[in-house]
Amino acid sequence: MQITVWVNGVEHVREVEPRLLLVHLLRDELGLTGTHWGCDTSNCGACTVWMDDVPVKSCTVLAVMAGGRRVRTVEGLEGPFGLDQVQLSFIRCHGLQCGFCTPGMLMTARWLLDHNPDPTEAEIREAIAGQTCRCTGYENIVRSIRHAAAAENARDGAA
């Protein structure tokens, strides 16, 4: 099947097998290896991307379902002025260890802050509940998201 998909603002036209998963289109066909493939069952969340501005686990979405849609991957977080505030906060607050879950965490955190600029700790934990981190106790991840929210709110308040 031929599909057209916009990934991080770039149009891609591809012939794909109907059974091809979006995660494999991104990684194997488009070379966007920031999206990690961890479980193939939607349990870990490492493959989380946005499809039309909604987080989805790309290991359970067929590539043909992305046809005609917009997909944003972790590679698309960086803006014209550098790393996204969520990325910077994960670095500053040690929100990652091995880094395997990080792409999914970053995409989920960015979506949360876009929809709730000042989330409580409970709201952050609820948002990342579909993400599995096997290295941390989530404390630094939550701290990183809170730091990103505070930094963005301080910036927006100063503007």
Side-chain angles (χ1 to χ4, degrees), residues 79-98:
F81 302 108
L83 295 177
D84 183 89
Q85 184 60 55
V86 171
Q87 293 170 306
L88 294 170
S89 292
F90 266 67
I91 293 166
R92 180 175 180 147
C93 299
H94 310 287
L96 53 96
Q97 284 189 11
C98 82

Side-chain angles (χ1 to χ4, degrees), residues 7 28 30 37 39 52 55-57 61 67 74 76 80 82 94-95 102 110 114 125-126 129 135 144 146 150 154-155:
V7 180
D28 303 337
L30 303 181
W37 180 41
C39 67
D52 291 338
V56 298
K57 294 179 180 178
V61 174
V74 71
H94 310 287
T102 304
R110 178 73 272 150
D114 285 353
R125 288 184 181 279
E126 182 179 341
C135 298
S144 297
R146 290 180 67 125
R155 179 196 65 216

Side-chain angles (χ1 to χ4, degrees), residues 3-57:
I3 63 168
T4 301
V5 60
W6 287 264
V7 180
N8 301 326
V10 177
E11 180 182 19
H12 298 275
V13 178
R14 291 289 189 277
E15 286 287 330
V16 299
E17 291 287 327
R19 66 178 180 255
L20 182 72
L21 294 172
L22 179 57
V23 68
H24 296 302
L25 173 72
L26 296 171
R27 291 181 59 80
D28 303 337
E29 299 286 327
L30 303 181
L32 298 170
T33 57
T35 300
H36 291 168
W37 180 41
C39 67
D40 209 19
T41 60
S42 86
N43 287 320
C44 76
C47 67
T48 300
V49 299
W50 296 1
M51 191 161 62
D52 291 338
D53 299 322
V54 175
V56 298
K57 294 179 180 178

